[in-house]
Amino acid sequence: MVDRATPPPATGTRGASDWAFPLRLHLSVIIVGLLACTALPLVWIAYTQGKVTALSAGEAQMRQLGLRTIENYRDVFNGGYTAIETAAAVPQMLTPPPQDLPAKQALLLRELKSSFHIDGVYVGFADGTYIQATNLATNPAWRDALNAPADAAFAVRAITKVIGIPVTTWTFFDQDIRPLARRADGDDVFDPRSRPWYKAAVSEGRTTSVGPYISAATNYLTLTFATPVAGKDQVVISADVMLVTLGEVVDTGTISEEAHGYVFDSTGRLIVHSDPVIMTKLRDQMRRGRLMSVADVAATDPAIPAVANLAQDRSRPDGDVFRFLVNGREYLAQSFRAEIAGMLKNYTVVIAAPLDDLVGPVERTLRRNLAAAAAFLSAGAIAAIIISRLISRSLYALADEARQLGNLEFKQSRVSRSWISEVNALGKALGSARDTIRMFSLYVPRELVRRIVMTGQSAIGSASRQEITVLFTDIREFTTISERRSPEEVVALLSTYFETLNMIVERHGGTIAQYIGDSVLAMWNAPVHDERHIENACRCALSMKTAIDEMNASNRAAGRPELVTRFGLHTGPAVVGSVGAETRRQYTAIGDTVNIASRLEGLNRDYGTSILVSSAVRNAVAENFSFLPIGTVSVRGRTGQTELYELRG
């Protein structure tokens, strides 16, 4: 069964019925509404509770990450602090080299190997001698600069004095602290006493931190712990922590690609960023003696301005989680200040991550749940639509049947029996009406009724004066044909004849107003307006003649009489509309234009022509058709002369 929507009424004022909706829509809305009222509140409650849970989980994840980060942060610097304190307690470290050199090398190498965060451990002496152990595994570029063996993991530089002249020796060790090679360096003019870490430890007389600065040995951004040895003047033991290594400690990439860790010094300057690219820029800017501003970093990390403000806020407690917006995106951040043996107490560690990355897994679960709920609700809606269609499809079929009757169309009925008794009763009544109207339509020109209803010209008194084109047809010697043939044969001939003419008139936009015996009265530009009514009428007359000629050829071959037809065509004003009684009326055209068309049809007998037209028709479409002048005649019943033309093609 095909469902069709009921069209809006063609006429009439807008009322309550204009806002009516199909039954299936009402049923669908009711069922879907019940489903929505039940399901949506439950889904919304589950979703909001899930959002709260997700936010709590995100904050808990941020706190756990912060605890791990600050613990690792302390481990890095505690490793450096422990290394120098341990070395300071060993007596062999207090004598200048080359005294106890093997013991010094062994101790420094063990400390390097025990803490991968330390890049180098070294001791400076008052006489300018120096011993340094460096981790080559963390700095391949430094290995290349020293031209060290490929499998070298550590290097020890010893500066001793020979007859007052400094002599530098490099010794390389593998991962198991086995010596690989030893080389003297005659170009080394390094003096530990001139270095900032040495001066700071001696001047302050206590363990201190120096930096960050660019290390002369590794060319990396470095922070140094240095301590003067108690009771020994100007012996300073130091350890380097590369801030690149520290950046790995505060790396938050495990939870989000857009999460970052930061370390700010006491002046609020960014000294560590978990992004290696930004760390490289920080080092390059510092090597040039310039500071990298927050605006420079913001181009890569848009969260840095808010993070820098947080780092400068000394009133915020350690470990406090707070939110901030960056370009409409919400972030979570946490800050810490970790003091190492009285040092670095003004350094601030901050970790920050987009909230949606932290709560992403929970959010995805919530979205999946929402999608599942939406799928169930959609399934319910589809079921509601199917049920409503099953209930209403018979009504739509009946509405389609009624619409066809209104259009005077009598196709095969599509109404089937329904399991609703009222629908069956309505279908039965509509079937009776269909049979009655079908019978009635055989006696009234169907197309004329359609057009009258469409234009609203069915009321008595609705006739109006307008320009029309009128075509009269008549069959030559039809009386003689009727006398020689049986009535049944005549009716059969006329039925075929009229059916052909009716189809041609409708195809050319005309309307057959009357069948008068064997004659036909057709008109254009009424009841439907047609700007090209004269041209269409001419084309219709030519098409009729061609069709009748073909019909006559078939009649001759079958032994039937020929129906030779004459045509009269005129255009002009006429009164067109419904005339007659209240209970019986006719749609027609009245006026001189109709009379002239009838007279022209009759004049074909005198001139032996087929299609006579007036000068009004010829003058209007002379450029589109071929006309043969016939002459000027006085038309019976009309004063004045009328020019005649034969329409040839």
Side-chain angles (χ1 to χ4, degrees), residues 88-112:
V90 176
Q92 289 87 343
M93 299 302 297
L94 307 183
T95 58
Q99 300 179 51
D100 303 314
L101 184 57
K104 292 180 175 64
Q105 289 180 343
L107 176 61
L108 296 182
L109 290 173
R110 282 197 300 270
E111 288 185 341
L112 279 182

Side-chain angles (χ1 to χ4, degrees), residues 258 260 262 270 273 275 277-278 281 285 292-306 326-327 331:
E258 298 182 59
H260 293 300
Y262 314 82
L270 178 67
H273 195 288
D275 188 335
V277 176
I278 296 179
K281 292 180 180 179
Q285 292 284 7
M292 195 168 184
S293 66
V294 169
D296 295 332
V297 182
T300 306
D301 182 1
I304 188 66
V326 177
N327 299 328
Y331 278 69

Side-chain angles (χ1 to χ4, degrees), residues 367-445:
R367 284 194 291 269
R368 284 196 296 267
N369 292 341
L370 282 179
F376 284 117
L377 189 59
S378 300
I382 293 173
I385 293 173
I386 293 174
I387 293 173
S388 64
R389 286 172 68 92
L390 291 174
I391 294 175
S392 63
R393 65 179 183 178
S394 296
L395 295 178
Y396 279 108
L398 292 172
D400 186 56
E401 182 91 354
R403 185 168 57 254
Q404 291 180 15
L405 293 181
N407 293 331
L408 299 181
E409 298 175 357
F410 305 103
K411 301 177 183 178
Q412 181 65 33
S413 176
R414 296 181 178 180
V415 179
S416 61
R417 290 191 60 81
S418 170
W419 47 275
I420 301 176
S421 59
E422 289 81 358
V423 173
N424 290 330
L426 181 59
K428 185 176 180 179
L430 191 60
S432 299
R434 179 190 184 90
D435 295 338
T436 302
I437 296 175
R438 181 191 292 113
M439 186 63 64
F440 172 76
S441 67
L442 299 177
Y443 298 91
V444 179

Side-chain angles (χ1 to χ4, degrees), residues 240-541:
D240 286 344
V241 176
M242 285 198 307
L243 297 191
V244 174
T245 304
L246 184 61
E248 297 173 356
V249 171
V250 295
D251 184 16
T252 56
T254 55
I255 62 170
S256 169
E257 292 183 358
E258 298 182 59
H260 293 300
Y262 314 82
V263 178
F264 296 87
D265 65 12
S266 57
T267 64
R269 179 180 56 169
L270 178 67
I271 61 172
V272 173
H273 195 288
S274 59
D275 188 335
V277 176
I278 296 179
M279 277 301 296
T280 300
K281 292 180 180 179
L282 282 171
R283 182 193 63 187
D284 293 343
Q285 292 284 7
M286 188 171 291
R287 186 187 299 117
R288 297 186 182 97
R290 296 169 55 189
L291 297 179
M292 195 168 184
S293 66
V294 169
D296 295 332
V297 182
T300 306
D301 182 1
I304 188 66
V307 170
N309 291 333
L310 170 64
Q312 295 174 6
D313 185 2
R314 303 291 175 177
S315 62
R316 188 175 296 276
D318 275 4
D320 190 19
V321 177
F322 79 107
R323 305 183 203 175
F324 60 90
L325 290 177
V326 177
N327 299 328
R329 192 177 186 187
E330 192 170 12
Y331 278 69
L332 284 183
Q334 192 175 22
S335 64
F336 300 90
R337 291 178 183 85
E339 180 179 341
I340 309 297
M343 300 176 292
L344 309 179
K345 57 184 177 181
N346 290 324
Y347 278 43
T348 305
V349 181
V350 181
I351 55 174
L355 179 60
D356 50 9
D357 286 355
L358 293 172
V359 301
V362 179
E363 285 278 10
R364 285 190 290 272
T365 301
L366 288 176
R367 284 194 291 269
R368 284 196 296 267
N369 292 341
L370 282 179
F376 284 117
L377 189 59
S378 300
I382 293 173
I385 293 173
I386 293 174
I387 293 173
S388 64
R389 286 172 68 92
L390 291 174
I391 294 175
S392 63
R393 65 179 183 178
S394 296
L395 295 178
Y396 279 108
L398 292 172
D400 186 56
E401 182 91 354
R403 185 168 57 254
Q404 291 180 15
L405 293 181
N407 293 331
L408 299 181
E409 298 175 357
F410 305 103
K411 301 177 183 178
Q412 181 65 33
S413 176
R414 296 181 178 180
V415 179
S416 61
R417 290 191 60 81
S418 170
W419 47 275
I420 301 176
S421 59
E422 289 81 358
V423 173
N424 290 330
L426 181 59
K428 185 176 180 179
L430 191 60
S432 299
R434 179 190 184 90
D435 295 338
T436 302
I437 296 175
R438 181 191 292 113
M439 186 63 64
F440 172 76
S441 67
L442 299 177
Y443 298 91
V444 179
R446 192 180 306 173
E447 184 62 25
L448 177 61
V449 174
R450 289 197 193 102
R451 297 188 178 193
I452 291 174
V453 172
M454 181 174 63
T455 56
Q457 299 180 15
S458 59
I460 294 293
S462 62
S464 61
R465 184 182 182 87
Q466 65 184 85
E467 291 287 328
I468 63 171
T469 300
V470 179
L471 174 66
F472 259 100
T473 73
D474 185 61
I475 300 175
R476 186 183 67 188
E477 299 178 353
F478 183 73
T479 302
T480 302
I481 294 173
S482 299
E483 292 174 351
R484 295 176 180 178
R485 300 284 173 174
S486 67
E488 291 80 6
E489 289 181 287
V490 173
V491 170
L493 282 172
L494 279 181
S495 296
T496 304
Y497 173 80
F498 284 144
E499 183 66 26
T500 301
L501 266 58
N502 182 72
M503 291 174 57
I504 295 174
V505 170
E506 290 183 357
R507 189 165 65 241
H508 288 83
T511 300
I512 294 180
Q514 296 181 37
Y515 294 103
I516 309 171
D518 62 313
S519 301
V520 172
L521 168 60
M523 58 184 173
W524 281 259
N525 204 35
V528 178
H529 178 66
D530 183 1
E531 293 183 354
R532 303 172 62 183
H533 56 93
I534 301 175
E535 178 182 344
N536 289 333
C538 291
R539 294 188 187 280
C540 180

Side-chain angles (χ1 to χ4, degrees), residues 105-106 109 136 149 151-156 170-181:
Q105 289 180 343
L109 290 173
L136 298 180
D151 53 350
F154 304 99
V156 174
W170 286 95
T171 305
F172 300 99
F173 299 84
D174 63 10
Q175 189 65 38
D176 296 324
I177 315 182
R178 292 190 297 252
L180 298 174

